[in-house]
Amino acid sequence: MTGALFDLNVRYSLFYLSCTILIAFLVWRYRGRPESFSTWLFPKAVYTHRSNLLDIKLFITGRLFSILGLFGAVFFPTTIAYAVLTYLSPDEFSAPPISWSRGFIATVVVVVTSDFCKYWAHRAHHEWRFLWPFHAVHHSADVLTPLTVERVHPLEPIIRNLLMTLVVGLVQGLVLYGLVGQINLTTIGGANALYFVFNALGSNFRHSHIWISYGPVLEHVFISPAQHQIHHSVARKHHDKNYGSIFAVWDWAFGTLYVPTEQEKLRFGVSDGTDKPVEQPYPTLVAALILPFTQSWSAIVDKMGGTQAQRTQTPAPQPAATPALAPAMPQGFSLWLDVLRAGAALTVLFGHMAHVRFTGGKYYFLRDWNVASDAVAVFFVLSGVVIAYAAGRDATLSRFAFNRVTRVASVLVPALLLTLVFDAIGTRTDMSAYPQGYYQQLSLGEFLWRGLTVTNLWTGAQDWVRLGSNGPVWSLSYEIGFYLIFGAMIFLKGLTRAAVLAMLVLLVGIPILVMFPAWYLGVLVWKRVSAAPSTRSRKANWAIAVGSIALLVALKVAKLPNILENLTIAVLQPVNHHDLLVYSNEVLWNTVIALLLAVHLIAIWALAQDGARRAEGRFARLVRWIAGGSFSLYLVHYPTLHLLDATLPATLPGHDLWMLVLTLAVCFGFAAIFERPIRRYRAVLRALFARIASPREADTASAG
């Protein structure tokens, strides 16, 4: 137990306490020596408070659990990192040259990832009712001292470690393999250097009576002691704020940041939700150890349908029987979604046209940049946003299913038939325009079965196939999988939901499952922006909106996609990553795109809310028009390009321009017939259902 006093991994070690006293002395002098230093630093009212006495008892209890090894048994990121490094490194592996810059980058990435996990683990303890009682022990402190960091229920660090260990360990292993390459546990532990700096520069002030603010600029990047003290405040305006450990950017990005403009008078403890602290809920050590179990069990019972319990610090959201009606989407946000949708569709077209067989390699830099694949990742995030919005608007499973099926089928079915016709003409004209790898001949039955069910990339039960020359249908196969999984998650319940989700997981296969988190980030964007207005300034939102895209471009220029794909290849060896992941071979980079785009969209929503609704100009109407045909453009352009490659003379003046103009004409002509009139098609279907259904069923159909 005394070893903790000399352990540099422990905040309250003698070294860090000495640093704290030194910094406190400088602050005391800077503030004009308001009283004697010892009285100012160790106020009697704080250190003799009964709350501090419970801190000491819980500290001793925690050290006993630590001696038993219970905390370390469930926190083994270093072990996972070492296992990843061992697995990735073949016998002939040659580590990249060690440099100061590589080591620094590896350290920063590991620390940032760990801090990101801590943010969500901390937030989960506030927002999940069954976890809150264990974390409430920490928040029940009526006064704050450096030892309050150890005022935790013994089960809380076990839960937190379980939530964090896998992600942190994997990232440590992958980063060290890619940047450092040494299978060395000492190297892994090198990330502690930043924690050393963090602790030495005053982490103990976070739990203290001494207010230290970094100012409004730095407090958007780092969590100051003042911000963490605010996190402990009973004031309603401070609830659910400043979850971060080191970095404030997570709170900033996810809407939980609170930056004080001046020193605030704070009261600590657990509140009744009306700015008033409740009587100490854990007055004794026994109460602090036992009561959280009973309170957590009550929360679980309530979740399953019992009497609703009253949570004191931060109310967790209650599940609704059906999704709430979707809030109105700001005009500016809707327009920006269309800008991204139109831009992504055109980018896919340009990326595919850049193939040597279509344009002779003049634009092959677009292939080198892999812009088409990146654009599909953008589509996935936008789809998640729109589907989450639609689910709230539809409110029932029947409406949700009707709208999704009609939206997809109205374009997919004619696109597949057009593909059959174009491929039949093109292959008979010039088969060399349909090279192996870009065209797969299927029987009519298999083509229609796999195409109409959109299961051509469902690898869980069967091999994946390309539908003739229409390779882009692969992403629609992903989309349908995402729709089904998401629909089951929000509209089904109990064993039915579990059974359907299990079946879908088995059927869709690994390629679709690994991309689901990237798609689901779009859902989280909608949940975030529709839940509460942004509290950030307009300048901050502009900085996030522009900075997220600038960072994405910088990472692309720095060849991060290549690094991440090489890591994927190494992790999956000896299995070929293309064989296993198919079109998800860049899953790590696609997830980075999705994450930064999600942050970007959250900022755009906040900016759009400030704008007044007004008549749209020519540019906006053009964007809406292109976006309104983007689905057709995506599904029809590839078979059209192949047909034109087979039929257009290579010597035709302006060949590339002809190919582009004709492809756009076919795609937007197709959209005019099949995509844009979707509302009329739905009205016809509803009328048809009304005729053949019973009156009650007809009313239900017409409501869709």
Side-chain angles (χ1 to χ4, degrees):
M1 195 177 302
T2 57
L5 296 177
F6 304 96
D7 187 350
L8 292 182
N9 291 316
V10 177
R11 285 190 199 173
Y12 49 81
S13 69
L14 289 178
F15 176 80
Y16 293 134
L17 288 176
S18 299
C19 291
T20 300
I21 293 173
L22 175 60
I23 295 172
F25 179 76
L26 296 176
V27 172
W28 172 73
R29 293 197 62 175
Y30 175 77
R31 293 180 179 173
R33 308 183 185 191
E35 53 190 318
S36 71
F37 179 62
S38 59
T39 302
W40 179 80
L41 184 60
F42 301 109
K44 183 177 180 180
V46 171
Y47 283 88
T48 60
H49 197 286
R50 64 174 185 174
S51 176
N52 187 45
L53 299 179
L54 183 58
D55 289 357
I56 297 172
K57 294 177 183 178
L58 282 168
F59 161 71
I60 296 173
T61 303
R63 298 310 299 175
L64 290 174
F65 274 86
S66 179
I67 291 172
L68 294 175
L70 294 180
F71 298 155
V74 295
F75 190 56
F76 41 88
T78 300
T79 305
I80 291 178
Y82 185 76
V84 169
L85 283 166
T86 304
Y87 177 78
L88 293 181
S89 302
D91 295 336
E92 67 276 11
F93 173 71
S94 177
I98 301 300
S99 66
W100 179 89
S101 59
R102 282 179 176 271
F104 177 76
I105 293 172
T107 298
V108 169
V109 172
V110 169
V111 170
V112 168
T113 302
S114 176
D115 201 66
F116 181 75
C117 292
K118 287 179 181 178
Y119 169 86
W120 284 108
H122 188 182
R123 185 166 177 171
H125 276 83
H126 277 259
E127 296 185 353
W128 295 359
R129 287 184 181 277
F130 72 97
L131 291 183
W132 164 250
F134 300 104
H135 189 55
V137 173
H138 179 68
H139 272 273
S140 67
D142 297 310
V143 296
L144 301 182
T145 74
L147 205 57
T148 306
V149 72
E150 292 291 323
R151 184 193 179 97
V152 293
H153 190 280
L155 193 62
E156 182 184 345
I158 295 176
I159 297 170
R160 182 181 65 246
N161 292 345
L162 284 172
L163 292 173
M164 291 176 53
T165 190
L166 180 62
V167 174
V168 174
L170 285 174
V171 170
Q172 283 183 350
L174 293 174
V175 168
L176 291 169
Y177 175 81
L179 294 175
V180 179
Q182 289 186 334
I183 305 176
N184 187 321
L185 292 181
T186 303
T187 304
I188 296 173
N192 288 333
L194 288 185
Y195 288 111
F196 172 84
V197 174
F198 169 69
N199 289 332
L201 292 181
S203 64
N204 282 316
F205 290 110
R206 294 158 61 89
H207 296 101
S208 76
H209 62 286
I210 299 173
W211 175 278
I212 297 179
S213 172
Y214 297 160
V217 175
L218 281 180
E219 287 185 338
H220 280 81
V221 182
F222 301 104
I223 291 288
S224 70
Q227 284 174 293
H228 191 75
Q229 291 165 19
I230 283 171
H231 176 73
H232 277 268
S233 168
V234 299
R236 184 186 303 178
K237 66 179 181 179
H238 296 151
H239 286 185
D240 299 322
K241 302 297 182 183
N242 301 343
Y243 291 119
S245 179
I246 296 177
F247 299 107
V249 290
W250 318 127
D251 288 288
W252 191 13
F254 298 106
T256 55
L257 183 66
Y258 184 97
V259 177
T261 56
E262 59 184 357
Q263 182 169 351
E264 300 187 26
K265 186 175 180 61
L266 305 176
R267 296 186 67 180
F268 304 126
V270 181
S271 79
D272 61 0
T274 62
D275 298 330
K276 296 180 181 178
V278 299
E279 185 178 355
Q280 175 57 247
Y282 309 109
T284 66
L285 177 63
V286 173
L289 295 176
I290 302 301
L291 284 180
F293 286 103
T294 61
Q295 294 165 343
S296 179
W297 176 250
S298 296
I300 293 172
V301 172
D302 295 340
K303 183 78 173 179
M304 298 173 64
T307 304
Q308 180 173 335
Q310 188 74 22
R311 184 188 182 284
T312 53
Q313 175 78 6
T314 309
Q318 293 298 306
T322 57
L325 291 178
M329 187 178 289
Q331 181 188 29
F333 185 76
S334 173
L335 178 60
W336 188 246
L337 291 183
D338 280 343
V339 168
L340 294 175
R341 186 157 55 116
L346 292 171
T347 299
V348 171
L349 169 61
F350 297 147
H352 287 161
M353 275 194 66
H355 276 292
V356 174
R357 64 185 190 278
F358 294 140
T359 52
K362 293 189 290 291
Y363 316 102
Y364 202 79
F365 64 91
L366 295 175
R367 301 298 307 163
D368 289 333
W369 292 349
N370 204 20
V371 295
S373 176
D374 293 351
V376 173
V378 172
F379 269 132
F380 284 162
V381 179
L382 300 182
S383 170
V385 175
V386 172
I387 295 304
Y389 164 76
R393 178 199 60 197
D394 296 335
T396 66
L397 178 59
S398 60
R399 292 180 189 139
F400 179 81
F402 175 82
N403 288 330
R404 301 291 72 72
V405 169
T406 52
R407 168 64 172 157
V408 171
S410 64
V411 176
L412 174 64
V413 174
L416 291 175
L417 296 177
L418 188 69
T419 300
L420 285 173
V421 173
F422 279 13
D423 285 358
I425 298 172
T427 55
R428 284 163 176 76
T429 303
D430 183 5
M431 190 62 196
S432 66
Y434 294 81
Q436 185 178 4
Y438 296 97
Y439 172 75
Q440 183 175 357
Q441 187 171 3
L442 302 172
S443 67
L444 180 61
E446 184 175 13
F447 181 97
L448 293 176
W449 164 247
R450 299 295 295 275
L452 294 176
T453 58
V454 206
T455 58
N456 57 305
L457 257 293
W458 286 25
T459 62
Q462 52 197 338
D463 294 333
W464 72 278
V465 297
R466 181 185 295 269
L467 300 175
S469 66
N470 205 332
V473 178
W474 72 265
S475 68
L476 192 57
S477 192
Y478 279 54
E479 290 275 1
I480 296 302
F482 299 155
Y483 296 172
L484 292 172
I485 293 172
F486 177 71
M489 288 170 58
I490 65 170
F491 290 114
L492 301 181
K493 296 184 180 299
L495 291 177
T496 302
R497 175 167 57 186
V500 170
L501 286 174
M503 179 186 67
L504 289 171
V505 166
L506 292 174
L507 288 177
V508 300
I510 292 175
I512 293 174
L513 290 177
V514 298
M515 284 301 297
F516 182 76
W519 181 88
Y520 197 75
L521 278 169
V523 175
L524 295 179
V525 167
W526 180 252
K527 289 185 176 182
R528 168 69 185 89
V529 299
S530 61
S534 172
T535 57
R536 294 186 297 268
S537 68
R538 190 170 181 82
K539 287 185 179 179
N541 284 315
W542 271 113
I544 295 174
V546 175
S548 56
I549 300 302
L551 177 59
L552 187 60
V553 173
L555 294 175
K556 183 79 172 181
V557 172
K559 299 189 181 303
L560 181 62
N562 304 74
I563 296 172
L564 294 178
E565 186 169 13
N566 288 335
L567 289 177
T568 304
I569 294 171
V571 168
L572 295 178
Q573 285 180 346
V575 177
N576 183 285
H577 78 303
H578 276 294
D579 291 342
L580 180 65
L581 299 177
V582 196
Y583 289 103
S584 301
N585 59 299
E586 287 192 294
V587 57
L588 297 179
W589 170 242
N590 292 156
T591 304
V592 171
I593 293 175
L595 181 60
L596 289 176
L597 183 60
V599 173
H600 170 78
L601 290 175
I602 291 172
I604 290 294
W605 170 277
L607 292 170
Q609 283 185 310
D610 296 337
R613 189 171 186 86
R614 57 185 180 183
E616 294 181 340
R618 292 181 180 178
F619 174 77
R621 291 196 296 271
L622 176 62
V623 166
R624 299 284 195 193
W625 185 83
I626 296 174
S630 60
F631 193 16
S632 299
L633 177 59
Y634 184 80
L635 283 186
V636 174
H637 78 276
Y638 221 31
T640 304
L641 286 173
H642 280 86
L643 176 63
L644 293 173
D645 187 37
T647 56
L648 280 180
T651 57
L652 178 68
H655 172 275
D656 298 349
L657 183 59
W658 274 107
M659 180 169 278
L660 175 61
V661 171
L662 290 174
T663 300
L664 290 174
V666 170
C667 293
F668 286 119
F670 181 96
I673 300 172
F674 298 107
E675 183 174 4
R676 301 190 197 278
I678 181 63
R679 292 183 180 178
R680 293 200 293 272
Y681 293 152
R682 284 174 173 165
V684 170
L685 287 173
R686 292 186 185 114
L688 180 62
F689 292 159
R691 285 191 174 190
I692 63 177
S694 65
R696 183 173 176 223
E697 291 171 334
D699 290 342
T700 303
S702 63

